[in-house]
Amino acid sequence: MKLTILGCYAATPRTFTNPTSQLLEIKNRFFLIDCGEGTQVQLRKNKIKFSKINQIFISHLHGDHFYGLIGLISTFSLLNRNNDLHIYGPKGIKEIILLQLRLSNSWPNFGLHFYELESKESELIYEDDKVQVKTIPLKHRVYTNGFLFEEKIAERKLNVEAVRHYQIEKCYFQNIKNGKDIVLDGGTVVLNNLLTFDPEKPKSYAFCSDTVYNEAIVPIINGVDVLYHEATFLQSEEQLAAKTMHTTAIEAATIAKKAQVSKLILGHYSTRYSTIDLFKAEAATIFPNVLLADDGLSFDL
Amino acid sequence: MKLTILGCYAATPRTFTNPTSQLLEIKNRFFLIDCGEGTQVQLRKNKIKFSKINQIFISHLHGDHFYGLIGLISTFSLLNRNNDLHIYGPKGIKEIILLQLRLSNSWPNFGLHFYELESKESELIYEDDKVQVKTIPLKHRVYTNGFLFEEKIAERKLNVEAVRHYQIEKCYFQNIKNGKDIVLDGGTVVLNNLLTFDPEKPKSYAFCSDTVYNEAIVPIINGVDVLYHEATFLQSEEQLAAKTMHTTAIEAATIAKKAQVSKLILGHYSTRYSTIDLFKAEAATIFPNVLLADDGLSFDL
């Protein structure tokens, strides 16, 4: 699981900082999360192949989280994309994109599928054989979701020496990997745990931006490996955070602690701060394992 | 008159090139022409004060000419802009912008005025005491206008020595600058040309992008000081230019020659070319005074 931060600053794109977008690589799927203005250039700078992206998740309809989407879709078209593209985001996103495609008379030559979200409860919105994605309802000035990416429990790993020892034929291997016991020709039952090792623990990643401090998300993200949580402000701007429905670094760390996550990554910094070091210092007073996102940084998780 | 090229490449924003946008400074007005994705960052890089821009002209609704507009408007809001903003562009632009502002629940705190264009004839769309702007109907895959910016004829310049010689009082100066003759106390008429010098010749700038080769624009732009004309392709891609309704460098130069302009600036280069030098070489075979636009270049005109 690898996370590439394309942009992690709030509000406006600037010369050296970008609004929210990140690429999550998980089990060879490439999920784009949010798509602020300039995301396609950030993808180029980070040498990410455009054609690998098939799913885009948009948290909410504030510009710093989606103004780059229409441009990215148009560029997909110009690059003669064939693969279908699936977009998950708040109700209204389809109308915004289709209106612009219609008025520019540039309908894409690939399938464009929208999954509009309006539920206030966590829901499963994407699933394949290895990964699933659920929404994390957040509280912000407009309808907003975070996203929980979870690997599914993989099949058990074959103990090659053991199956050889019991002279088990290949045609039974898939059953064994699925957890089944085996009955030998003489009637002896060999328990599955003699024939397999535990699979790798499935990993999970939770993206939570933008939101006011909201303990209601704790049960949903409980125990995730990595939590990305917005921290727009430092403690000195606590009042402003509440007023604008954002979170401070200390509040983000409190959520991380209550949800017993393994790692916390902070981002969505207000552009008022000349350095982001204090975000880590403040969060670390509550929760030890804090990392700071920054544009162009990659995390191997 | 000063022209700053914020972006002059076709199709998609890339790491080191930007889609169309330019700032025309004329008589202390700052007109933004087109607004591709990333324009607000280009404005920052070129140290242009956002608050000086009060008029934005959009040629057509292809993404590389307007996808940066919604982001710029949002940033104006975040910067607590007070001045009204006036946007001139094809019918539909208002719906695109207002839909996004409505869905993001972020109505600007300044006046936002749209002037939607649908005429196929050249029309006067902006006028103040010193400058006027007319459309230049272009032929492209969607409804498109270029824009002709013209200084108005300035008032005549007072010949300070002459008015002193005739002992003319200050209260008559404005009449003299307006071209009036003066009757002295004894009844003598002093002709205006004895009291004034000719004003500076009013300057003009024509922006023409995107368009197929189209001689119908020649009478509209005839004799302008500076013509910016798109040259998406070199002569080797002449067929492709016609098919996609774009222009080659040689065709742009032909228009410049027929319209007897003083200077031609080329831009809107296809990103397929690794260097733009050949655009100048090809155009110069037809029209001598050719300049190449490039992102971040300024021209004092």
Side-chain angles (χ1 to χ4, degrees), chain B residues 221-240:
Chain B
I221 63 172
N222 195 56
V224 296
D225 293 291
V226 184
L227 167 64
Y228 175 95
H229 198 289
E230 77 125 291
T232 308
F233 295 109
L234 293 171
Q235 202 55 19
S236 47
E237 278 71 49
E238 191 185 4
Q239 304 290 322
L240 188 58

Side-chain angles (χ1 to χ4, degrees), chain A residues 115-174:
Chain A
Y115 305 85
E116 292 199 312
L117 309 173
E118 21 182 0
S119 172
K120 289 180 178 175
E121 305 293 325
S122 176
E123 56 181 343
L124 181 69
I125 56 171
Y126 172 86
E127 185 172 27
D128 63 32
D129 57 328
K130 292 190 176 153
V131 181
Q132 64 182 24
V133 185
K134 291 177 193 151
T135 56
I136 307 167
L138 301 176
K139 279 191 190 168
H140 192 45
R141 304 193 306 272
V142 292
Y143 175 75
T144 305
N145 287 295
F147 301 104
L148 174 62
F149 298 82
E150 294 174 298
E151 290 179 3
K152 290 186 174 176
I153 294 173
E155 52 191 21
R156 300 187 61 78
K157 288 186 176 173
L158 207 63
N159 180 339
V160 178
E161 282 186 24
V163 294
R164 197 178 291 153
H165 171 81
Y166 290 107
Q167 300 184 319
I168 296 171
E169 285 178 43
K170 259 195 178 170
C171 57
Y172 296 106
F173 286 6
Q174 190 57 54

Side-chain angles (χ1 to χ4, degrees), chain A residues 169-188:
Chain A
E169 285 178 43
K170 259 195 178 170
C171 57
Y172 296 106
F173 286 6
Q174 190 57 54
N175 273 350
I176 295 172
K177 289 194 274 186
N178 291 346
K180 296 267 165 58
D181 301 332
I182 290 293
V183 185
L184 298 180
D185 286 349
T188 316

Side-chain angles (χ1 to χ4, degrees), chain A residues 34 58-67 69 87-97 116-117 140-145 209-210, chain B residues 70 74 99-106:
Chain A
D34 280 348
I58 300 294
S59 62
H60 65 300
L61 295 184
H62 278 162
D64 54 335
H65 294 255
F66 87 99
Y67 282 167
L69 181 59
I87 295 170
Y88 305 78
K91 190 166 166 56
I93 194 160
K94 182 176 177 178
E95 188 184 356
I96 289 173
I97 299 299
E116 292 199 312
L117 309 173
H140 192 45
R141 304 193 306 272
V142 292
Y143 175 75
T144 305
N145 287 295
S209 184
D210 298 356
Chain B
I70 179 67
S74 300
L99 174 66
Q100 294 181 81
L101 293 175
R102 178 168 61 76
L103 285 170
S104 66
N105 199 19
S106 1

